[in-house]
Amino acid sequence: MRGMHEAPLTALVLSGGGARAAYQVGVLRALAHLRREVKGPRARLDNPFGVICGTSAGAINAAALAAHADRFEAAVEVIAKVWANFSAEQVYRADSLGVIRSGAQWLTMLSLGWALARWRRARPRSLLDNGPLAELLTRLVPLERLPLMLQQRHLHALAVTASSYSSGEHFTFYAAREPVEPWLRSQRVAAPCARITHEHLLASSAIPFVFPAARIEHAGDKGWFGDGSMRNTAPLSPAIHLGAQRLMIIGAGRMHEPQRRQNAESGYPNLAQIAGHALSSIFLDALAVDIERLKRINRTLALLPESALADTPLRPIEALIIAPTQRIDEIASRHLGSLPRPVRALLRGAGVSGEGASARGTALASYLLFEAPFTRELMALGEKDTLDRRDEVMQFFGWDQPVLRGRQPDILLPTGALDVELP
């Protein structure tokens, strides 16, 4: 049976952020709930997003949705089941031996010097070993289904971004139902792929310094690639180049977060605080800047007469942005104790300490907190933030408001709702 994604062509843009990407899953669950109210049983199969673009951990969520574009609601529930029951051991080696072999050696090189590490022939590639993530991807993301999803018109295109350590360029790897002319911008390369693989996902989600780079073959050459959020100056660009007429953008923090009062007496920042600040700049700032750029272009186009609009290739793009209404750093501070003991010890060595309001370095920890208590709270926040903007979401997608009968069901992670399997 051939399907069709909803029109006009709508793109889902999922940003990066490690464990913070659990928030995206909560937003998607709320969205699936709202569609079901309007469309009934048909909503379980229809795909509202013709274009799906993902970066870093968002690339994994994006690819999982794309691989099951013929059963959108079930795909969301399967992804939610994984995130709601996450443990760090599913993403990286969190046992004592694994941490010693990677993170401890890495910190040793920082503290005792590269010369000593070279003399001992210690060559750790990253703070943590994400070998378990590769195993998880084979179960969660059946990319062998992607060509069929494109062929049967359940999906128009999937795009995954990664950054090349070898060339210094930012790559967008994409697979599309119909040929799309590759675009080339300063330090940004579009690369059509016959097959998007799990290696692309591992590369896109390889947080710098934290996870090792992945090797990808492109145009006959093999290069080392890392997290797609690095050097990603225009994260909305792939969706627009792939033909999207409107964008649903799910952020991983900062855009709507309340400002925290600065504490001038906190002392000199430690390694964890600096690393967390750097990662937040990599994962969050480019998206916020690109959204501002999109809004400026839309305002400018609205001022142009029809004759001038006909002479420009630019077109207005409608966008719906949903981002956390609470500070994720502060949420993470409540869940540091759920991390495995070896990982907590490693993070303490980098400067993560304390709990609650007195915690330090929690921004760094928030990217590594693949533990159910943290991911469930983020998912619940994503659902709440989306349902709080119900009318705006309905208007964006053009869905008619349904007539509710009785009490609206509570969908904040009901116990049995995650017992879903896909064949």
Side-chain angles (χ1 to χ4, degrees), residues 2 58 88 127 136 227 281 293 296 313 318 349 363 367 371 373 382 417:
R2 292 182 177 270
L127 185 65
L136 176 63
D227 199 290
S281 298
R293 183 186 299 121
R296 285 198 304 271
E318 186 180 1
Y367 295 100
E371 295 291 339

Side-chain angles (χ1 to χ4, degrees), residues 23-281:
Y23 178 85
Q24 301 169 356
V25 184
V27 174
L28 291 170
R29 291 197 77 211
L31 184 68
H33 171 79
L34 294 175
R35 289 181 75 242
R36 197 183 319 127
E37 287 186 356
V38 175
K39 295 178 174 291
R42 188 163 60 94
R44 297 181 181 274
L45 300 178
D46 290 348
N47 173 27
F49 304 110
V51 175
I52 303 179
C53 302
T55 304
S56 191
I60 296 174
N61 287 337
L65 288 174
H68 293 295
D70 58 338
R71 34 193 156 176
F72 173 76
E73 187 172 319
V76 170
E77 287 303 310
V78 168
I79 298 168
K81 182 177 180 180
V82 172
W83 280 94
N85 297 282
F86 240 140
S87 64
E89 289 87 351
Q90 293 174 274
V91 179
Y92 52 84
R93 288 200 59 183
D95 58 288
S96 298
L97 180 60
V99 170
I100 289 171
R101 293 180 62 180
S102 56
Q105 289 190 19
W106 193 80
L107 290 177
T108 296
M109 286 191 293
L110 288 178
S111 58
L112 299 183
W114 289 93
L116 177 59
R118 185 174 182 180
W119 175 72
R120 296 180 58 191
R121 297 185 179 181
R123 292 278 192 262
R125 294 184 171 184
S126 59
L127 185 65
L128 295 168
D129 175 4
N130 65 344
L133 178 60
E135 300 177 13
L136 176 63
L137 291 179
T138 60
R139 301 193 305 271
L140 179 64
V141 190
L143 284 171
E144 66 275 6
R145 298 190 82 242
L146 182 60
L148 182 63
M149 296 299 96
L150 294 167
Q151 178 185 346
Q152 293 187 345
R153 303 176 67 83
H154 294 290
L155 187 70
H156 177 75
L158 168 68
V160 171
T161 63
S163 185
S164 172
Y165 290 123
S166 304
S167 69
E169 294 173 307
H170 177 82
F171 277 74
T172 296
F173 299 99
Y174 67 92
R177 185 179 71 241
E178 299 171 357
V180 175
E181 187 69 23
W183 58 95
L184 180 64
R185 299 292 185 271
S186 176
Q187 300 300 316
R188 291 189 283 133
V189 178
C193 287
R195 282 184 65 238
I196 291 180
T197 67
H198 291 135
E199 283 70 29
H200 290 97
L201 302 184
L202 285 171
S204 182
S205 59
I207 300 174
F209 302 111
V210 177
F211 295 142
R215 205 168 188 194
I216 298 177
E217 183 173 353
H218 169 67
D221 295 326
K222 286 188 176 182
W224 292 100
F225 287 79
D227 199 290
S229 296
M230 295 186 293
R231 309 200 73 174
N232 190 5
T233 57
L236 305 182
S237 173
I240 297 171
H241 279 290
L242 290 170
Q245 297 163 285
R246 60 186 184 187
L247 310 179
M248 180 174 182
I249 306 159
I250 306 179
R254 184 164 293 182
M255 282 179 286
H256 297 302
E257 287 183 344
Q259 294 295 317
R260 179 195 295 175
R261 187 179 64 180
Q262 298 297 317
N263 183 359
E265 303 300 324
S266 60
Y268 191 83
N270 59 39
L271 177 61
Q273 289 174 298
I274 295 172
H277 182 74
L279 290 179
S280 294
S281 298

